[in-house]
Amino acid sequence: MPNGVFLRVLCVLCGLCLSADVSAQLRRPRADVTPITETDGVRAGSPARVALTVSLPEGLHTQSNTPRDPLLIPTELTIDAPAGVTVSEIVFPPSTDLKQQGQDQPLAVFEQTFAIGVQLAIASSVPSGDLVVPAHLRYQACDATMCYAPTTASVEWKLRVASAAGATQHPEVFGAIAFGRGSAPSAVVAAPRPASAAGSVSATDLAKFDAFVVQGTTGGYLGSDEFLKFIRNAETGVKERGLFEGRGPLMILLLVLIGGLALNLTPCVLPMIPINLAIIGAGAQAGSKARGFVLGSAYGAAMAVVYGVLGVIVILTAGSFGTINSSPWFNLGIAILFVVLGLAMFDVLLIDFSKYSGSFNPGQSRGSVALAFSMGAVAALLAGACVAPVVIQVVLFSSSLYATGTKIALALPFFLGLGMAIPWPIAGAGLASLPKPGMWMVRVKQVMGVFIIATAVYYGYEAYDIFSSRWVDSSAVQASVEAQLKAGWHASLAEGLDLAQREKKPVLIDMWATWCKNCLTMDKTTLENESVKAALAGYVKIKFQAEDPDSPPAKPVMQKFDAVGLPAYVILKPKSKT
């Protein structure tokens, strides 16, 4: 493969890695929702027609407003009509059938692009001028294999009330809407909410948590032994000690630097070492250790910069670095990258780094330093995928420290990258000049090739596993929850907390959603384990539906307990009155 082509391929793959956080958003696809009006002016005392045009990414649809299965999530439009405005009619488009894997009958869905019409009545008392009508569209996107978490889009129509009607707009949209055949908002037939729906959580409900002590929190799939350990630790007050808890500042700094050094020894970085040494060591091999030191420094500096920038972004936005590693697209991109590198190790793809040596001289330094910097950035991201616990510990600790007003906490992720960078200037100046050519290098390269291909298989499986975890039948999840409710769990957060406080019982809150496969798996396995059932016999058990973690009612509850994903579990104990 020509070097230029290889570099272009590598840059594309690196770009895929860098944009993995964006790709991760495909877990909840967003539609483009645009509010439009039929005329550029309306008269007080007259009707007005408005619409929403909805466009989803290729291959996606939304559930219709009346799905066949009442347990599925309908598309709903709610309008916050201001004074003097009445919603006369909402017109949804006709639905079409979508055959989805795992469903006994086709889903009733709206097409990838559709429009919803609304007829408003403008009272004669509405004064002339601008009039804003807010609306909220809740929808669930689906494709042929899965349905995603529901999303709510908030929009607003801006009407101009005048003495005369304005010119007509968007005739192609409004001409296709069957006005007169819609439903009044009060008569809109919406799929009934499941009995276990979370409903609203008021400030009063959140205040109920003040009467309890948080004994333990956890999340994700846990086997019965792990879940029993979680219960025992919560009951006995044993808290898992974080990597940085109780440490002094110098020890924290040392741990961060050691963690950074450890990233160089992970399976994600080791396969890159022969290639990285070829890049940063070319200057030393050409007779200039100083040049090798510069390239190694550039390589290491990229690691520190990547972790520093990502850390600051995550801390300031209160996000989670683990998101990038949980993206199937990230794992798939890494798998493809390692396949390319593995084939190169077996000379299936010829990558001759010796040709770069001509550019490693003082007169042509820019390209080589940029290449070393780019490879360092890639290595930092790859290492983060392997050593996510170390990275997440640093970021979470930095976030907590930053929340107390300690601004220097923003620099801790940078120090993690700095620790990772320490060996590379040394390698560029000296170690890269030690190996001598010989057949042994070919054998080492082939052994590394086997390791690279194995790593590619691992990441490919990870991508498949994450994709498959989203292939879940929402009705099966709902049915499982209904079975738990019949067995004595509570659907209402407020009622469960009140009961626990009255009877002085501990509480287990299980946060779930209809799109969460691990929620179903936990219900069918761990929570059905006899030992787990016995351990929870004296608990008030609550099933809290966190259907949309980014919006109320789920958001404030999940934030209260620092839950970043589903399923999530919280154990509470009533405070003793003194």
Side-chain angles (χ1 to χ4, degrees):
M1 175 185 290
N3 287 328
V5 174
F6 171 76
L7 284 178
R8 286 195 293 270
V9 171
L10 186 59
C11 288
V12 171
L13 292 172
C14 294
L16 178 60
C17 298
L18 290 169
S19 63
D21 192 48
V22 176
S23 300
Q25 297 304 316
L26 289 177
R27 290 177 300 175
R28 190 172 303 159
R30 305 283 178 174
D32 290 328
V33 182
T34 305
I36 59 174
T37 59
E38 188 178 32
T39 59
D40 61 4
V42 297
R43 284 192 307 152
S46 301
R49 289 177 175 178
V50 297
L52 293 180
T53 61
V54 184
S55 178
L56 289 120
E58 184 68 30
L60 292 173
H61 309 268
T62 69
Q63 300 280 7
S64 75
N65 60 311
T66 54
R68 292 189 177 92
D69 187 337
L71 297 179
L72 296 177
I73 299 170
T75 296
E76 296 177 320
L77 177 61
T78 56
I79 300 171
D80 303 330
V85 176
T86 304
V87 181
S88 305
E89 179 186 27
I90 298 178
V91 186
F92 287 97
S95 63
T96 59
D97 287 346
L98 172 66
K99 182 60 179 177
Q100 188 182 66
Q101 295 179 14
Q103 294 286 346
D104 295 332
Q105 59 181 342
L107 300 180
V109 299
F110 294 145
E111 293 286 2
Q112 176 189 350
T113 301
F114 62 93
I116 302 172
V118 178
Q119 181 150 296
L120 306 173
I122 311 298
S124 56
S125 58
V126 175
S128 299
D130 293 334
L131 180 66
V132 176
V133 182
H136 312 279
L137 181 68
R138 186 173 189 259
Y139 61 91
Q140 182 182 36
C142 300
D143 58 27
T145 60
M146 69 189 87
C147 286
Y148 300 82
T151 299
T152 299
S154 297
V155 297
E156 56 185 29
W157 289 286
K158 295 181 179 179
L159 305 175
R160 182 175 57 85
V161 180
S163 57
T168 301
Q169 304 177 126
H170 311 290
E172 73 287 353
V173 176
F174 287 94
I177 297 175
F179 284 103
R181 299 182 183 179
S183 302
S186 58
V188 171
V189 180
R193 294 285 187 184
S196 56
S200 60
V201 176
S202 65
T204 303
D205 294 334
L206 292 175
K208 294 180 186 293
F209 288 126
D210 295 338
F212 294 83
V213 176
V214 179
Q215 295 291 99
T217 60
T218 190
Y221 176 79
L222 298 174
S224 56
D225 290 341
E226 292 176 285
F227 201 78
L228 286 169
K229 180 182 178 182
F230 163 63
I231 297 172
R232 286 194 298 268
N233 286 346
E235 291 175 345
T236 57
V238 175
K239 295 188 179 295
E240 295 289 341
R241 189 180 185 189
L243 184 61
F244 301 104
E245 291 182 16
R247 315 287 188 184
L250 291 179
M251 180 58 69
I252 290 172
L253 181 59
L254 179 60
L255 285 172
V256 170
L257 289 174
I258 291 174
L261 281 168
L263 299 184
N264 290 294
L265 304 177
T266 63
C268 297
V269 177
L270 281 175
M272 302 285 290
I273 287 178
I275 294 173
N276 294 339
L277 286 178
I279 294 173
I280 69 172
Q285 292 167 358
S288 172
K289 289 188 176 183
R291 184 63 185 150
F293 181 85
V294 170
L295 292 174
S297 298
Y299 183 89
M303 297 175 174
V305 168
V306 165
Y307 279 109
V309 171
L310 286 178
V312 169
I313 292 173
V314 170
I315 294 168
L316 294 180
T317 60
S320 172
F321 184 80
T323 301
I324 191 173
N325 302 315
S326 65
S327 166
W329 303 107
F330 174 78
N331 286 274
L332 182 60
I334 299 305
I336 295 172
L337 175 62
F338 278 172
V339 167
V340 172
L341 297 176
L343 293 177
M345 288 296 171
F346 289 104
D347 294 327
V348 176
L349 298 176
L350 298 179
I351 307 172
D352 184 6
F353 284 98
S354 64
K355 295 182 179 179
Y356 288 111
S357 61
S359 63
F360 293 161
N361 61 66
Q364 296 175 328
S365 60
R366 182 176 300 177
S368 60
V369 170
L371 180 59
F373 190 91
S374 300
M375 293 301 295
V378 172
L381 288 173
L382 298 186
C386 265
V387 201
V390 175
V391 179
I392 292 173
Q393 282 279 5
V394 171
V395 171
L396 291 180
F397 176 76
S398 301
S399 298
S400 300
L401 202 58
Y402 180 77
T404 65
T406 307
K407 305 299 183 183
I408 194 64
L410 291 172
L412 281 180
F414 174 80
F415 277 100
L416 182 72
L418 192 62
M420 189 176 179
I422 287 174
W424 290 100
I426 302 171
L431 293 181
S433 63
L434 294 179
K436 304 297 182 181
M439 183 55 65
W440 70 272
M441 295 186 69
V442 176
R443 299 301 177 218
V444 170
K445 185 173 71 170
Q446 291 172 347
V447 170
M448 296 299 290
V450 172
F451 189 56
I452 291 173
I453 295 298
T455 307
V457 172
Y458 166 78
Y459 276 106
Y461 178 79
E462 284 294 299
Y464 167 78
D465 189 55
I466 297 172
F467 275 122
S468 65
S469 69
R470 300 172 188 175
W471 301 336
V472 57
D473 183 350
S474 59
S475 61
V477 181
Q478 181 64 53
S480 175
V481 171
E482 296 292 348
Q484 297 279 23
L485 296 179
K486 291 179 181 179
W489 289 65
H490 295 265
S492 170
L493 186 64
E495 291 177 5
L497 294 176
D498 287 340
L499 176 63
Q501 195 169 12
R502 287 197 307 269
E503 300 185 359
K504 301 302 179 185
K505 289 184 176 181
V507 180
L508 173 69
I509 302 176
D510 177 352
M511 304 182 202
W512 66 282
T514 57
W515 45 265
C516 170
K517 185 175 182 179
N518 277 339
C519 298
L520 175 62
T521 305
M522 284 290 293
D523 281 355
K524 296 296 186 183
T525 57
T526 301
L527 295 180
E528 285 297 312
N529 180 272
E530 292 302 325
S531 297
V532 173
K533 284 184 175 181
L536 295 175
Y539 281 68
V540 173
K541 299 179 286 292
I542 301 172
K543 282 282 189 180
F544 177 76
Q545 187 171 5
E547 198 66 30
D548 186 352
D550 292 337
S551 303
K555 185 175 181 179
V557 176
M558 294 186 70
Q559 286 182 334
K560 174 76 175 178
F561 302 111
D562 295 324
V564 296
L566 298 178
Y569 301 94
V570 180
I571 290 180
L572 305 175
K573 178 183 177 182
K575 292 180 179 178
S576 54
K577 295 181 180 180
T578 56

